[in-house]
């Protein structure tokens, strides 16, 4: 190989990286959530991780979760992640990049599916989240996780599920998971406080249901763990008021809460920025890692 060729190789690599970044930027700015997921997943490899797919945590065909873990993990923080999709769509397979990214940070991660509306309305999908958390807690040690070092996170509708299943004392009690085993909750662009009766998502809630009986900001238990509420500055899907109301409810109950508004991000890119190769989009991944490391069992 000539010296001239050797000098050209870094430039070629930079050009390829630049082209890839430009393509991903175009996808993230103009395409559907499904196309975003496919693009991100194809550019993040799980090689070197322990990945176990389609573990059953309940009787329904949607009661499955995928586990991503570092090789040789010991006592690692264990995170349950819940996808969005207006409670009517979405799939864990589209969020493999979340499991991959957070496992690379040293955590054991369960990425779950849940029963979908309108066939399954509230609280079915919240109860699925609680059941998945119990499964993950019961099996954490098999993957090098600590069953008393749990975190629950979700994006969009999954953010609602994550906050509701922890903050409403009913759901953890139903599956015998002590709230003391949960070190924190991470809501990402979640609709925690809105009147679903005025939106198409009303089909995910009981007919004649009342938001006062359902919204997580009405259900804050006095012994809830710390919360991180991540908000996309350019979110046109979930109003920022949801996080403001949730923050106020947690503060009223004297629960530690951090609300972080991430600049430049929208409802889709806030979750895309969890991917390791898309951290240039915004600070989602860094904020999650900061929060987990601050609240994990030492």
């Amino acid at each position: 190989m000539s010296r001239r060729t050797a000098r050209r190789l870094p430039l070629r690599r930079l050009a390829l990286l630049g082209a890839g970044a430009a393509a991903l930027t175009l996808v993230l700015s103009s395409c559907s959530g499904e196309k975003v997921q496919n693009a991100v997943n194809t550019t993040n490899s799980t090689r070197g991780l322990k990945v176990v797919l389609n573990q059953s945590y309940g009787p329904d065909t949607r009661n499955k979760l995928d586990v991503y873990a570092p090789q040789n993990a010991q006592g690692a923080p264990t995170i349950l992640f819940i996808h969005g999709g207006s409670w009517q769509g979405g799939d864990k397979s589209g969020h493999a990049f979340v499991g991959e990214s957070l496992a690379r940070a040293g955590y054991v991660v369960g990425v779950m599916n849940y029963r979908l509306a309108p066939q399954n309305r509230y609280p079915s999908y919240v109860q699925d989240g609680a059941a998945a958390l119990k499964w993950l807690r019961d099996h954490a040690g098999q993957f090098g996780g600590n069953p008393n070092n749990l975190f629950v996170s979700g994006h969009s509708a999954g953010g609602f599920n994550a906050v509701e299943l922890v903050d409403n004392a009913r759901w953890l009690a139903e599956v015998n998971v002590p709230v003391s085993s949960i070190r924190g909750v991470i809501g990402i662009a979640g609709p925690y406080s809105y009147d679903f009766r005025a939106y198409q998502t009303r089909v995910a809630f009981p007919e004649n249901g009342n938001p006062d009986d359902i919204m997580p900001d009405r259900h804050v238990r006095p012994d809830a763990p710390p919360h991180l509420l991540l908000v996309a500055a350019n979110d046109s899907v979930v109003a920022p008021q949801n996080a403001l109301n949730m923050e106020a409810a947690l503060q009223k109950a004297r629960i530690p809460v951090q609300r972080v508004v991430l600049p430049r991000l929208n409802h889709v890119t806030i979750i895309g920025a969890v991917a390791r190769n898309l951290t240039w989009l915004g600070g989602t991944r860094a904020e999650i890692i900061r929060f987990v490391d601050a609240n994990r069992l030492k």
Side-chain angles (χ1 to χ4, degrees), residues 224-290:
H227 284 55
L228 173 64
L229 304 177
L230 296 178
V231 180
N234 298 327
D235 198 332
S236 61
V237 178
V238 173
Q241 193 64 43
N242 282 273
L244 285 167
N245 292 353
M246 192 71 230
E247 178 186 39
L250 289 161
Q251 289 175 335
K252 184 177 180 180
R254 298 186 178 182
I255 305 301
V257 55
Q258 302 170 51
R259 180 178 57 86
V260 178
V261 179
L262 297 171
R264 302 183 305 278
L265 295 177
N266 62 34
H267 193 70
V268 173
T269 55
I270 192 172
I271 188 62
V274 175
R276 288 185 303 125
N277 61 344
L278 294 180
T279 54
W280 47 269
L281 281 171
T284 312
R285 184 176 190 264
E287 288 294 336
I288 292 171
I289 291 172
R290 177 191 60 78

Side-chain angles (χ1 to χ4, degrees), residues 62-128:
R62 289 275 303 181
N63 292 157
K64 298 286 195 302
L65 60 79
D66 300 336
V67 181
Y68 302 79
Q71 295 285 356
N72 304 315
Q74 292 184 351
T78 301
I79 303 174
L80 176 67
F81 177 79
I82 311 172
H83 70 76
S86 299
W87 300 282
Q88 300 162 70
D91 194 86
K92 60 183 174 58
S93 62
H95 292 80
F97 69 92
V98 175
E100 187 273 343
S101 179
L102 297 181
R104 299 285 187 201
Y107 314 138
V108 174
V109 186
V111 181
M112 67 170 289
N113 274 349
Y114 51 88
R115 288 173 289 172
L116 299 175
Q119 293 82 5
N120 300 281
R121 300 186 179 220
Y122 175 93
S124 298
Y125 40 79
V126 178
Q127 291 173 308
D128 285 354

Side-chain angles (χ1 to χ4, degrees), residues 58-254:
D60 192 84
T61 55
R62 289 275 303 181
N63 292 157
K64 298 286 195 302
L65 60 79
D66 300 336
V67 181
Y68 302 79
Q71 295 285 356
N72 304 315
Q74 292 184 351
T78 301
I79 303 174
L80 176 67
F81 177 79
I82 311 172
H83 70 76
S86 299
W87 300 282
Q88 300 162 70
D91 194 86
K92 60 183 174 58
S93 62
H95 292 80
F97 69 92
V98 175
E100 187 273 343
S101 179
L102 297 181
R104 299 285 187 201
Y107 314 138
V108 174
V109 186
V111 181
M112 67 170 289
N113 274 349
Y114 51 88
R115 288 173 289 172
L116 299 175
Q119 293 82 5
N120 300 281
R121 300 186 179 220
Y122 175 93
S124 298
Y125 40 79
V126 178
Q127 291 173 308
D128 285 354
L133 184 64
K134 176 176 173 53
W135 187 96
L136 196 58
R137 184 171 189 261
D138 290 346
H139 295 85
Q142 298 175 19
F143 302 97
N146 185 330
N148 293 310
N149 205 3
L150 302 177
F151 292 81
V152 184
S153 180
H155 170 240
S156 193
F160 169 103
N161 295 6
V163 173
E164 169 67 6
L165 81 87
V166 175
D167 286 352
N168 187 337
R170 173 182 171 184
W171 312 123
L172 293 180
E174 284 187 354
V175 294
N176 296 314
V177 170
V179 71
S180 60
S181 67
I182 301 173
R183 305 294 299 175
V185 181
I186 305 161
I188 306 170
Y192 321 107
S193 177
Y194 81 113
D195 190 343
F196 53 81
R197 295 171 295 188
Y199 296 88
Q200 188 275 335
T201 49
R202 62 184 177 276
V203 300
F205 299 97
E207 293 185 17
N208 302 316
N210 187 329
D212 287 337
D213 299 325
I214 294 171
M215 287 296 115
D217 67 328
R218 279 73 152 183
H219 293 157
V220 179
R221 60 191 301 160
D223 55 351
H227 284 55
L228 173 64
L229 304 177
L230 296 178
V231 180
N234 298 327
D235 198 332
S236 61
V237 178
V238 173
Q241 193 64 43
N242 282 273
L244 285 167
N245 292 353
M246 192 71 230
E247 178 186 39
L250 289 161
Q251 289 175 335
K252 184 177 180 180
R254 298 186 178 182

